[in-house]
Amino acid sequence: MSFNLVEVNNLTFTYRDEKQPALEKVSFALPAGSWTAVVGPNGSGKSTLTRLLDGLLWPDSKHSEIKIAGERLTKQNVWSVRQQIGIVFQNPDNQFVGATVADDVAFGLENQNFPPEKMQERIEQALAAVKMQDYAGTEPSRLSGGQKQRVALAGITALRPKLLILDEATAMLDPQGRRDVIALIQQLRQDYQLTVLSVTHDADEAALADQVLVLSHGKVKATGTPADLFSQPDLIASLGLKPPFVMDLKQRLAAKGIEVPAEITEEQDLVNYLCQLSSTK
Amino acid sequence: MSIIFNKVSYLYNQNTSLEQPGLQDVSFKLKTGSFTAVIGHTGSGKSTLLQHFNALLKPTSGSVEIAGFKIDAATSNKGLKPLRQQVGIVFQFPESQLFEETVEKDIAFGPQNFGLSEEEAHKRARLWLRRVGLSQDLATRSPFDLSGGQMRRVAIAGIMASEPAVLCLDEPAAGLDPQGHQQIMQLFKKYQAAGHTVVLITHDMDDAARYADDVLVMDHGQLVKHASPAEVFADPDWLHRHHLEQPATVAFSQALARAGMQFEHLPLTRSELVQAICQQVKGAGQ
Ligand SMILES: Nc1ncnc2c1ncn2[C@@H]1O[C@H](COP(=O)(O)OP(=O)(O)OP(=O)(O)O)[C@@H](O)[C@H]1O
Ligand SMILES: Nc1ncnc2c1ncn2[C@@H]1O[C@H](COP(=O)(O)OP(=O)(O)OP(=O)(O)O)[C@@H](O)[C@H]1O
Ligand SMILES: [Mg+2]
Ligand SMILES: [Mg+2]
């Protein structure tokens, strides 16, 4: 965890014909192996940021800098740098290229010159990890919304990128699917050093990250650990965010005169504390 | 006039090697003016079900009665415009329903198509743009040059601007920020209060518990339960068997109950939960 896989300095980007920049002087770092959640209101620049990191868009000026594994991202090295980055887009339909689910996963591997003799095994493994092995021969367009999201994720995790960027990649999964995906990513982080940048509106998901980056109107409004950030109710509210469930409950209880000690952050501890309070008082 | 599904089955790619059941023998009745949530695991048939509400898909067998129409396998595609006017569907992926040059034209398309003058339709469009929480500055932008959440809002406005009697929503809050999420859910609730019927597909169990009168639970193309949120969410084991879970509020209340707190009835929303806890804690303190 000693070096930064990603360093972003002074990143400013304006879409063509727009007056306001979509990102303005954004700086942050992603320590290798860490999980960072990016949160912020609709239109705050989260997806734009992911496109800049992947070299799909380019900053306004030379004063902006994106470094991946120590190398400054340029139009010359973008193809090789991109090999290290896996990005799951907000809309999985923008992701599919293959005629079948298996082809789609194979396509990414072929692009990276993955050894053909190991291809089949890797594809099966990636699809099984998202419980889509039974759909290997299906056309991606004939899948349900959540099935598409799972396949998009398999296509990227199969590549074992160093940096995994998820743009609301669990937004259309059922509750169990969402938990499966989070467990899968934690597993991958354990198996090989994976750095994760995950854009999400789900506070309970952000609460699992090592670091949270809050964007608002294209600027970084706050960074910190989830615990730090979500314990500032006024800041959270002013940014239009919602605290995770336990925090939210504690704040609502405090407003009614029931103060719960700060060290209680887990659901079960809160249950125990409240039950004690109701029986001993 | 209620909405009736009578033994509806649907086969994808019927009579081909790719034939696959989408719905199996689904029957239910929804009251006019009700708010129904449809929940179920990934691939359980929710979107397939919703597309039957305005005959985008027609039953392979069985029938759907809605808005004075009866739709079955033999229903012709001609003459369905009045049905589409009365039953609007917001799709799971908003991009799939945006197509005009500008945001305002996109939202105005529906009302104009259903008979309003251009001027009236654009007035409606601006009204709904505001109601879904979008700034007027975006009116002239291409709907494809928007963020994901902004596109979602345009798609919702585009359907609601025609003010359909039955509003069908396929995960409308996916991708909305927390504030937008709450605003848009309240917009749907208000729409219901104004006398419309709302059908909402959601993976957010908290939303289903908080906003719906009625819940339909789908599993592998079958309807496995049709009941009130309180009933559907009471049994965690049953939900797990159908790959679902309890809303955070309900799970928390039951954990409190197991640890000794007693509730008269299960709190479904966070404010109900907090109120119930206060009664216990403060009541005990007196
Ligand atoms: N192609 C484009 N042309 C012009 N403006 C754009 C384009 N794409 C996005 N924008 C604008 O740039 C801003 C940032 O958009 P971005 O998609 O990065 O937001 P986001 O934080 O990902 O939002 P969401 O949570 O809704 O996905 C928004 O105001 C959006 O309208
Ligand atoms: N065009 C299609 N052709 C063939 N099969 C399809 C098609 N669309 C969906 N299916 C299949 O029908 C089943 C039901 O899909 P549906 O889209 O209704 O699920 P859903 O409940 O909406 O899921 P999700 O929550 O993931 O959106 C799935 O197994 C899916 O793979
Ligand atoms: Mg986005
Ligand atoms: Mg669906």
Side-chain angles (χ1 to χ4, degrees):
Chain A
M1 291 276 267
S2 52
F3 75 100
N4 292 327
L5 182 73
V6 177
E7 277 177 30
V8 170
N9 292 310
N10 210 22
L11 186 62
T12 298
F13 172 79
T14 312
Y15 281 102
R16 203 148 52 117
D17 303 330
E18 292 300 316
K19 290 172 241 94
Q20 290 290 326
L23 287 175
E24 200 174 349
K25 297 188 180 149
V26 166
S27 301
F28 63 92
L30 305 181
S34 65
W35 175 331
T36 301
V38 182
V39 303
N42 291 136
S44 56
K46 305 180 298 297
S47 297
T48 305
L49 175 64
T50 66
R51 287 180 211 130
L52 282 153
L53 288 175
D54 203 32
L56 296 169
L57 297 174
W58 295 93
D60 288 354
S61 86
K62 302 251 176 312
H63 304 293
S64 295
E65 180 186 61
I66 296 174
K67 272 177 156 177
I68 312 253
E71 198 178 352
R72 185 175 178 160
L73 183 65
T74 64
K75 286 182 181 162
Q76 282 71 48
N77 65 14
V78 60
W79 291 101
S80 66
V81 171
R82 217 180 262 164
Q83 302 269 309
Q84 308 176 50
I85 305 177
I87 171 163
V88 182
F89 293 108
Q90 197 161 2
N91 181 346
D93 283 330
N94 297 340
Q95 190 117 15
F96 296 130
V97 283
T100 67
V101 164
D103 282 357
D104 200 76
V105 180
F107 183 83
L109 290 166
E110 277 161 12
N111 262 348
Q112 302 211 342
N113 297 318
F114 192 79
E117 67 280 7
K118 292 191 184 148
M119 188 92 83
Q120 195 53 33
E121 188 191 340
R122 179 60 71 84
I123 294 171
E124 281 167 16
Q125 195 185 18
L127 289 176
V130 295
K131 303 198 176 125
M132 287 299 290
Q133 64 274 33
D134 295 344
Y135 293 83
T138 304
E139 254 178 67
S141 65
R142 297 182 190 278
L143 296 174
S144 79
Q147 289 167 342
K148 285 180 183 172
Q149 274 198 323
R150 286 170 189 242
V151 171
L153 199 72
I156 299 303
T157 53
L159 304 174
R160 300 270 194 277
K162 281 199 182 121
L163 172 63
L164 176 64
I165 301 177
L166 305 171
D167 195 351
E168 294 181 47
T170 61
M172 267 165 209
L173 298 183
D174 54 47
Q176 273 187 23
R178 212 174 259 226
R179 247 181 298 121
D180 289 349
V181 165
I182 290 169
L184 169 65
I185 291 163
Q186 298 288 34
Q187 183 67 45
L188 293 173
R189 289 176 71 205
Q190 232 170 52
D191 295 350
Y192 73 106
Q193 197 181 52
L194 172 69
T195 306
V196 180
L197 183 85
S198 169
V199 175
T200 182
H201 291 296
D202 181 351
D204 289 288
E205 190 179 316
L208 301 172
D210 302 310
Q211 170 179 238
V212 183
L213 185 74
V214 186
L215 286 181
S216 176
H217 296 290
K219 296 190 183 120
V220 176
K221 281 290 149 69
T223 46
T225 64
D228 277 351
L229 211 67
F230 289 122
S231 58
Q232 296 170 257
D234 296 340
L235 175 71
I236 292 299
S238 75
L239 294 169
L241 301 172
K242 204 172 112 179
F245 179 69
V246 173
M247 289 282 188
D248 186 38
L249 216 53
K250 281 172 67 176
Q251 283 159 19
R252 286 166 187 260
L253 286 166
K256 301 258 180 194
I258 302 178
E259 292 286 348
V260 178
E263 50 295 0
I264 293 182
T265 56
E266 298 294 324
E267 204 164 310
Q268 193 52 48
D269 298 335
L270 184 56
V271 166
N272 295 341
Y273 178 81
L274 291 172
C275 283
Q276 235 169 25
L277 211 58
S278 73
S279 61
T280 59
K281 261 200 180 170
Chain B
M1 230 179 346
S2 29
I3 298 169
I4 299 169
F5 273 58
N6 186 15
K7 294 191 172 14
V8 173
S9 293
Y10 181 77
L11 289 171
Y12 278 108
N13 313 305
Q14 195 185 5
N15 301 329
T16 72
S17 59
L18 297 172
E19 184 173 292
Q20 208 207 330
L23 294 176
Q24 295 180 55
D25 207 22
V26 173
S27 300
F28 60 81
K29 191 168 165 178
L30 305 181
K31 281 200 224 93
T32 299
S34 60
F35 194 124
T36 303
V38 184
I39 61 175
H41 64 79
T42 291
S44 60
K46 304 179 297 296
S47 298
T48 308
L49 180 77
L50 208 67
Q51 290 172 66
H52 280 79
F53 278 73
N54 71 0
L56 284 172
L57 296 178
K58 282 173 278 185
T60 307
S61 63
S63 64
V64 176
E65 288 170 50
I66 186 167
F69 282 74
K70 182 164 178 178
I71 302 144
D72 58 26
T75 303
S76 134
N77 280 331
K78 289 201 193 108
L80 289 178
K81 193 167 166 183
L83 173 65
R84 306 262 156 87
Q85 180 169 8
Q86 290 192 63
V87 183
I89 302 186
V90 179
F91 294 124
Q92 192 163 7
F93 294 104
E95 282 97 323
S96 62
Q97 89 190 56
L98 304 174
F99 59 97
E100 280 282 6
E101 276 163 57
T102 70
V103 166
E104 187 172 310
K105 280 189 190 166
D106 207 290
I107 303 174
F109 177 83
Q112 205 169 336
N113 186 35
F114 295 130
L116 287 195
S117 71
E118 189 176 340
E119 197 193 329
E120 278 297 316
H122 278 260
K123 217 169 112 188
R124 276 266 185 100
R126 288 190 293 276
L127 174 71
W128 283 96
L129 190 70
R130 187 161 51 73
R131 287 193 178 156
V132 297
L134 287 174
S135 128
Q136 211 64 55
D137 306 347
L138 296 181
T140 53
R141 182 101 55 89
S142 155
F144 298 100
D145 292 346
L146 295 176
S147 81
Q150 289 165 342
M151 277 188 208
R152 168 79 62 195
R153 293 171 199 245
V154 173
I156 293 169
I159 297 301
M160 293 189 78
S162 302
E163 301 180 2
V166 182
L167 177 65
C168 301
L169 304 150
D170 200 342
E171 293 192 49
L176 293 187
D177 58 52
Q179 206 175 1
H181 181 141
Q182 195 173 347
Q183 279 165 358
I184 224 88
M185 290 304 301
Q186 257 140 25
L187 184 68
F188 301 148
K189 202 63 196 166
K190 247 172 88 178
Y191 195 69
Q192 178 204 9
H196 304 98
T197 306
V198 180
V199 181
L200 166 84
I201 293 180
T202 183
H203 283 306
D204 187 325
M205 301 300 129
D206 290 282
D207 279 351
R210 178 163 178 196
Y211 297 103
D213 310 315
D214 236 11
V215 181
L216 298 173
V217 186
M218 298 297 296
D219 190 354
H220 288 97
Q222 290 173 315
L223 177 66
V224 291
K225 196 169 233 152
H226 180 190
S228 70
E231 246 172 286
V232 168
F233 293 124
D235 183 353
D237 297 331
W238 185 87
L239 288 163
H240 283 156
R241 277 203 300 285
H242 297 283
H243 312 280
L244 294 168
E245 62 183 30
Q246 291 180 304
T249 325
V250 174
F252 193 82
S253 316
Q254 290 193 338
L256 286 173
R258 278 195 301 278
M261 259 198 209
Q262 276 158 14
F263 297 102
E264 267 166 49
H265 56 89
L266 207 58
L268 285 176
T269 66
R270 292 185 188 188
S271 46
E272 280 172 24
L273 172 62
V274 168
Q275 208 162 8
I277 294 172
C278 285
Q279 266 166 14
Q280 299 272 328
V281 170
K282 292 191 174 150
Q286 264 138 40

